[in-house]
Amino acid sequence: MRLLLVHPSALMYSEIFLRLEPLGLERVAAAARDAGHQVRVVDLQVLPRSVLDAELRSFAPEALCVSLNYLANIPEAIEIARQAKEASPGCFVFFGGHSVSFIAEHVLRQAEGAVDAVVRGEGEPAVAPLLEAARDGGLDTVPGVVTAEGRGPAPRLLDSLDSPRPARDLMRRRNRYFIGELDPCASIEFTRGCPWDCSFCSAWTFYGRSYRKVSAEAAAEEMASIREPNVFIVDDVAFIRPEHGDGIAAALERRRIRKQYYLETRSDVLLRNPEVFERWTRLGLRYMFLGMEAIDAEGLDLYRKRVSPDDNFRALEAARRMGIMVAINLIVDPAWDEERFRVVREFALSVPEIVHLTVMTPYPGTEIWHTEARQLTTRDYRLFDIQHAVVPTKLPLEVFYRELVRTQAVLNRKHLGLRNAVGAMGVLGRNLLRGQTNFARMLWKFGRVYNADRQLADHRRPVRYELPVPEHRAAPPGRQELFIHTRSATPVHRRPAPEADGV
């Protein structure tokens, strides 16, 4: 079959700080191609919509998939599905990805026939049997697939992360992928899953708290095939197992592979395995993202981070000694008042690290979805981007956004103000000499992207597609109920799709 894979447009946050290659979509593309299908990819993060229009006309796909790792992209994805059906009425349209896995039935109803199926869970093991069933029948036998008639068997976990290798050759304008000053930047995956259970996160519920690792040799072979000088390691928590991080490092050392690396990890993992991170600095590790989330014990307990403020600060000191630049994330609680914003600004200015702010957002698949979602002030998918408030704020909403943008602007000036202009211009000059403009564009976008008037106006847009609300329950769901992937398969069941909203 002719399969067209589509990644939706960039979200607000990624307009400035990053634009990552769609690694999951590339791996699904590779799995479909290995099964004998013709595959093309359109990434609307880096390509104009006119490219998608042209592919629908010239390629005339028999199947089209939209990747939905972010809730905010769902309205755009449904419109793409409608466009595909209009261009090719017989086209089999399906969605897949992290976020849509938790609300598959709801999205199918909203699409009103424009979407034929949703794949829950990992896409690589599902795509080949799904395309075969789309052609020959038997959709209800495909693991992880949901249609208007109901769910098929439970989703399957990929047998091995060693393959398929991402089909990077199908991507266009790879030079548009970047993170901060690492421009251009490829992505790579060493592990999947997270053994922790933070209340705001759905990584552990998606994978059922499983944790899997790519082999060191496969990781090194893939790294050797990457042309970009910079690589973002996309693992939810890098180097949980020190022997795994050491094994990959050794394989890279044997091949004399040197890149600049950016990764994400936890403070306790860094403190427990400092030798692994020190070894990686010798290989080119330059940047690290630490999800501190809060600067006090009360906030850390609220999010069930299972680390202490002392752990976080000791981890920052350890990273400084290693020469790693750290980006800290703090979660903005909608209950913050002006004084709390002031305290956070003071903290952020007192440390040398980059500080990012994200707004606490209950997502389907997280525990706080079942505790906070019934208080939602909006169900507009587009506002679920961790940059908008979707539950009641203690401050009037316009004041909340004013304080949020004021704090973000202070942090922006801290790193891109006059004191840092010389260093920034040096990086900018080197990137421009290589023809890379992403970092340059980032420097001038802040005021246009982050302003309180824009964020308030976003709340006033007409809403066509809305999130479901969780069903009322006497007690919170058990953890197994939150999992997409489980160790035991669930039986096939088919049922009529209900008329009412909800999952």
Side-chain angles (χ1 to χ4, degrees):
M1 296 179 73
R2 295 184 302 277
L3 170 65
L4 181 61
L5 298 169
V6 182
H7 190 288
S9 305
L11 301 181
M12 180 178 175
Y13 185 81
S14 48
E15 286 185 51
I16 296 184
F17 300 111
L18 53 82
R19 192 181 303 114
L20 301 178
E21 69 170 302
L23 200 58
L25 205 61
E26 292 171 350
R27 291 183 65 125
V28 170
R33 190 165 61 179
D34 289 347
H37 300 282
Q38 292 178 256
V39 184
R40 293 189 186 178
V41 181
V42 173
D43 183 359
L44 295 176
Q45 295 181 108
V46 301
L47 296 171
R49 186 65 176 262
S50 59
V51 174
L52 174 60
D53 299 340
E55 290 286 7
L56 288 173
R57 290 192 304 269
S58 62
F59 186 51
E62 298 167 276
L64 180 142
C65 172
V66 184
S67 173
L68 283 168
N69 286 321
Y70 305 106
L71 283 180
N73 287 132
I74 285 178
E76 179 187 9
I78 294 175
E79 294 305 319
I80 291 171
R82 295 187 191 283
Q83 181 185 1
K85 288 290 190 181
E86 290 172 5
S88 303
C91 183
F92 179 80
V93 177
F94 63 103
F95 289 171
H98 186 104
S99 287
V100 77
S101 290
F102 293 101
I103 52 172
E105 287 89 348
H106 183 79
V107 171
L108 282 168
R109 289 194 294 275
Q110 288 183 314
E112 298 177 330
V115 179
D116 297 294
V118 172
V119 177
R120 299 174 71 243
E122 296 186 332
E124 298 99 328
V127 66
L130 174 62
L131 294 176
E132 181 180 348
R135 183 187 59 215
D136 303 331
L139 285 174
D140 59 345
T141 67
V142 180
V145 168
V146 184
T147 67
E149 285 71 42
R151 295 187 180 188
R156 281 181 47 211
L157 285 169
L158 188 62
D159 292 333
S160 169
L161 298 187
D162 288 4
S163 64
R165 186 177 295 175
R168 294 186 171 90
D169 60 296
L170 295 179
M171 308 308 294
R172 290 167 271 192
R173 304 195 72 180
R174 287 190 58 82
N175 65 329
R176 295 295 306 278
Y177 300 123
F178 79 104
I179 179 167
E181 64 183 53
L182 297 187
D183 180 15
C185 188
S187 295
I188 197 169
E189 178 180 45
F190 293 156
T191 65
R192 281 188 187 174
C194 180
W196 284 272
D197 59 351
C198 299
S199 63
F200 61 88
C201 182
S202 59
W204 62 278
T205 59
F206 183 85
Y207 292 112
R209 296 194 80 176
S210 64
Y211 182 73
R212 291 164 296 153
K213 307 182 291 294
V214 69
S215 71
E217 288 304 311
E221 287 176 13
E222 183 177 343
M223 191 74 78
S225 73
I226 293 175
R227 297 191 306 271
E228 287 82 1
N230 309 301
V231 177
F232 177 53
I233 300 169
V234 303
D235 301 16
D236 292 307
V237 184
F239 307 147
I240 293 174
R241 304 293 186 198
E243 67 279 5
H244 186 235
D246 273 329
I248 297 173
L252 295 176
E253 289 164 353
R254 287 194 296 272
R255 289 167 173 78
R256 299 185 179 181
I257 296 172
R258 284 198 60 80
K259 307 277 188 182
Q260 288 198 106
Y261 298 105
Y262 195 128
L263 57 75
E264 301 184 35
T265 196
R266 287 172 52 101
S267 297
D268 47 358
V269 173
L270 174 62
L271 293 173
R272 197 161 53 239
N273 308 317
E275 299 84 2
V276 177
F277 291 92
E278 288 169 356
R279 185 173 188 175
W280 273 82
T281 63
R282 296 191 290 274
L283 285 169
L285 175 59
R286 295 290 176 268
Y287 295 90
M288 176 185 296
F289 183 90
L290 280 178
M292 284 180 55
E293 321 309 355
I295 58 177
D296 55 28
E298 182 181 7
L300 293 170
D301 289 342
L302 176 66
Y303 301 126
R304 204 163 58 229
K305 284 294 293 185
R306 303 189 190 280
V307 295
S308 69
D310 285 346
D311 289 336
N312 282 333
F313 293 123
R314 287 194 299 117
L316 293 179
E317 292 173 1
R320 290 169 199 155
R321 289 194 299 270
M322 296 178 199
I324 302 171
M325 174 59 73
V326 175
I328 298 168
N329 185 70
L330 298 179
I331 296 176
V332 178
D333 192 322
W336 283 7
D337 57 15
E338 285 141 312
E339 173 61 16
R340 188 59 178 174
F341 275 108
R342 184 193 66 78
V343 169
V344 168
R345 285 194 292 270
E346 285 190 356
F347 162 77
L349 291 173
S350 71
V351 296
E353 286 75 24
I354 301 165
V355 180
H356 292 302
L357 301 177
T358 56
V359 180
M360 191 281 289
T361 304
Y363 282 108
T366 66
E367 285 194 4
I368 61 172
W369 171 251
H370 294 276
T371 60
E372 303 289 339
R374 300 195 74 83
Q375 306 176 45
L376 293 176
T377 56
T378 177
R379 291 165 55 200
D380 183 352
Y381 283 110
R382 297 166 298 180
L383 299 180
F384 284 74
D385 62 353
I386 62 175
Q387 299 301 315
H388 291 83
V390 297
V391 296
T393 55
K394 181 175 183 178
L395 295 169
L397 190 59
E398 62 272 18
V399 179
F400 176 84
Y401 281 139
R402 185 191 69 203
E403 287 295 311
L404 176 62
V405 171
R406 178 185 176 193
T407 305
Q408 289 166 323
V410 167
L411 306 182
N412 185 61
R413 288 195 299 273
K414 168 187 170 184
H415 293 286
L416 298 177
L418 290 176
R419 288 184 303 168
N420 297 292
V422 173
M425 290 305 107
V427 172
L428 176 62
R430 291 192 295 274
N431 288 343
L432 290 175
L433 285 173
R434 297 197 304 269
Q436 291 299 126
T437 62
N438 299 304
F439 181 64
R441 294 171 188 269
M442 181 188 89
L443 297 178
W444 316 118
K445 276 187 174 182
F446 184 87
R448 177 169 62 82
V449 173
Y450 287 101
N451 65 77
D453 289 340
R454 172 185 171 175
Q455 287 168 290
L456 276 172
D458 288 342
H459 286 263
R460 296 193 288 267
R461 293 178 295 185
V463 180
R464 182 174 181 184
Y465 303 109
E466 291 185 309
L467 269 166
V469 292
E471 60 182 297
H472 180 70
R473 312 174 59 130
R479 294 195 166 194
Q480 289 286 332
E481 294 180 68
L482 297 176
F483 293 167
I484 296 295
H485 289 283
T486 58
R487 291 301 183 184
S488 59
T490 56
V492 179
H493 63 281
R494 311 300 289 172
R495 55 169 177 74
E499 294 295 328
D501 280 351
V503 175

